[in-house]
Amino acid sequence: MKHAWRVILMAVLASLAAPLLADELRPAIVELTEREPGQWALEWKIPVAANARGTAPRLAQPVIPQNCEFKVEPVQRAAPLALLGTAQLDCNGDLGKATFGLSELIGSADAIARVAPLAQPVQTFRLTAQTPTATIAAKPDRWAVARDYFVIGAEHILFGWDHLLFVIALVLLVRRGWAVVKAATAFTAAHSITLVATTLGYAGLPSRPVEALIALSIVFLAVEVIRAIRAPDQPTWTRRMPWVAAFAFGLLHGFGFAGALSDIGLPQGEIASALVAFNVGVEAGQLLVIAALMAVLAAMKRGLPGAEIPAIRAATYAIGITGSFWVFERLLG
């Protein structure tokens, strides 16, 4: 019965692991592109989302500017977990101050809306459940793309569970101020390299093995944390040089970031600013997670020193089980 509580804990956590959505940055996208003066092409990709009861899908529909009308009925087709659509629009006059976007967004999902006129800069908007439509600016805001992609990057680390769990496991492994800073810096440098290289077309790996290896990196760190708890006087190379492991796995996670960003796309003419803003947003979210976790560990060490190790152990088992589930899911799914 010595380890019975661990078996129970693992079973419970395994049952909770399945619903988690890892690396979930697959927003809806709706684009309006001017082909000829007054003639616009509308394209959209809308992920399927379950309704409140989970019994049927709910799909948003594009909201077109008030001074536009469909030339013919839109064409829609089903794709895996998404609805794809195209349409041709006749638009009368300028689209400045017109409303464009989607009819609704389910839950906390985000969407990207783009407007690409012939002789003006592309405008990109981030849509949310609270504001599923945007107002097209008569004069584009040069900082709008940077702001939106910064938020998307921050949300990706905060709500992309596989990257988040890796960062948490890294902090639990190191748990020392400057050592955490060094490891986080190495992780940042590494994933920035592969993110930029992949996005610009200089590198790339198939998404399925990358996602499986990312999950495996989480399991690896979880095992290292448990080994550190059980044998603190027998440091492994990962504990002696955590920045090396952080850099190596960071290169891998950069491919994951790039894959997610490719689903959104980068606005033509604003590729550099959008890419930099996305990466800075990822870093901001990562630093927020690290600071919060370090604060919790410090408070626990001062106020409840006897609970620190059991809490770390329980969290690590949860991380390891979730990562293991993702490994099998991504290899066999």
Side-chain angles (χ1 to χ4, degrees), residues 247-329:
F247 186 87
F249 287 127
L251 293 172
L252 189 63
H253 282 250
F255 287 114
F257 287 128
L261 186 56
S262 69
D263 284 348
I264 297 175
L266 293 169
Q268 294 299 317
E270 298 284 352
I271 291 177
S273 60
L275 182 56
V276 170
F278 177 83
N279 202 41
V280 172
V282 168
E283 285 323 299
Q286 178 179 299
L287 291 175
L288 181 63
V289 171
I290 291 173
L293 186 54
M294 291 294 289
V296 169
L297 291 175
M300 186 174 293
K301 191 171 185 177
R302 288 195 304 268
L304 297 168
E308 181 186 10
I309 296 303
I312 292 175
R313 183 185 290 113
T316 304
Y317 275 119
I319 291 170
I321 291 170
T322 303
S324 299
F325 173 81
W326 285 334
V327 171
F328 288 105
E329 179 189 48

Side-chain angles (χ1 to χ4, degrees), residues 37-85:
Q39 305 296 305
W40 296 75
L42 177 66
E43 298 179 303
W44 63 93
K45 180 184 75 174
I46 302 175
V48 174
N51 64 10
R53 295 184 179 182
T55 57
R58 290 173 58 184
L59 295 174
Q61 294 296 321
V63 173
I64 65 174
Q66 299 90 324
N67 55 331
C68 296
E69 61 181 18
F70 291 107
K71 295 176 68 173
V72 294
E73 284 297 313
V75 176
Q76 299 186 98
R77 64 183 179 86
L81 297 180
L83 179 70
L84 307 180

Side-chain angles (χ1 to χ4, degrees), residues 122 138 167 181 201 227 233:
V122 175
V167 172
V181 171
R227 291 176 67 186
D233 298 328

Side-chain angles (χ1 to χ4, degrees), residues 5-314:
W5 68 272
R6 293 184 185 175
V7 175
I8 295 172
L9 176 64
M10 291 172 69
V12 172
L13 292 174
S15 69
L16 296 176
L20 289 176
L21 298 177
D23 200 17
E24 199 52 41
L25 185 64
R26 305 291 187 266
I29 300 173
V30 56
E31 296 182 298
L32 190 56
T33 305
E34 190 174 19
R35 304 298 187 191
E36 298 177 10
Q39 305 296 305
W40 296 75
L42 177 66
E43 298 179 303
W44 63 93
K45 180 184 75 174
I46 302 175
V48 174
N51 64 10
R53 295 184 179 182
T55 57
R58 290 173 58 184
L59 295 174
Q61 294 296 321
V63 173
I64 65 174
Q66 299 90 324
N67 55 331
C68 296
E69 61 181 18
F70 291 107
K71 295 176 68 173
V72 294
E73 284 297 313
V75 176
Q76 299 186 98
R77 64 183 179 86
L81 297 180
L83 179 70
L84 307 180
T86 60
Q88 301 298 317
L89 304 181
D90 279 327
C91 297
N92 181 22
D94 187 75
L95 300 189
K97 299 184 180 181
T99 298
F100 175 58
L102 295 168
S103 59
E104 65 174 333
L105 285 170
I106 308 301
S108 59
D110 285 354
I112 298 295
R114 290 197 192 93
V115 180
L118 278 174
Q120 297 180 32
V122 175
Q123 297 187 44
T124 302
F125 307 95
R126 172 176 166 267
L127 310 179
T128 66
Q130 292 72 36
T131 56
T133 60
T135 300
I136 301 172
K139 184 178 180 180
D141 181 357
R142 61 177 299 186
W143 296 107
V145 170
R147 284 198 305 268
D148 288 341
Y149 276 81
F150 174 87
V151 173
I152 292 169
E155 287 182 341
H156 185 48
I157 195 70
L158 295 174
F159 301 111
W161 278 97
D162 47 4
H163 302 299
L164 181 63
L165 292 187
F166 181 88
V167 172
I168 292 173
L170 188 62
V171 174
L172 294 180
L173 176 67
V174 180
R175 282 184 283 158
R176 301 185 308 277
W178 281 112
V180 170
V181 171
K182 291 178 183 178
T185 301
F187 182 66
T188 294
H191 73 62
S192 297
I193 291 171
T194 46
L195 170 62
V196 173
T198 304
T199 302
L200 298 181
Y202 296 111
L205 289 175
S207 61
R208 184 171 292 276
V210 165
E211 291 178 355
L213 289 172
I214 287 174
L216 193 60
S217 73
I218 297 169
V219 177
F220 176 83
L221 283 190
V223 171
E224 287 294 300
V225 175
I226 294 300
R227 291 176 67 186
I229 293 174
R230 291 179 176 175
D233 298 328
Q234 300 176 13
T236 62
W237 71 268
T238 306
R239 279 181 279 159
R240 287 195 301 267
M241 296 182 292
W243 64 271
V244 175
F247 186 87
F249 287 127
L251 293 172
L252 189 63
H253 282 250
F255 287 114
F257 287 128
L261 186 56
S262 69
D263 284 348
I264 297 175
L266 293 169
Q268 294 299 317
E270 298 284 352
I271 291 177
S273 60
L275 182 56
V276 170
F278 177 83
N279 202 41
V280 172
V282 168
E283 285 323 299
Q286 178 179 299
L287 291 175
L288 181 63
V289 171
I290 291 173
L293 186 54
M294 291 294 289
V296 169
L297 291 175
M300 186 174 293
K301 191 171 185 177
R302 288 195 304 268
L304 297 168
E308 181 186 10
I309 296 303
I312 292 175
R313 183 185 290 113

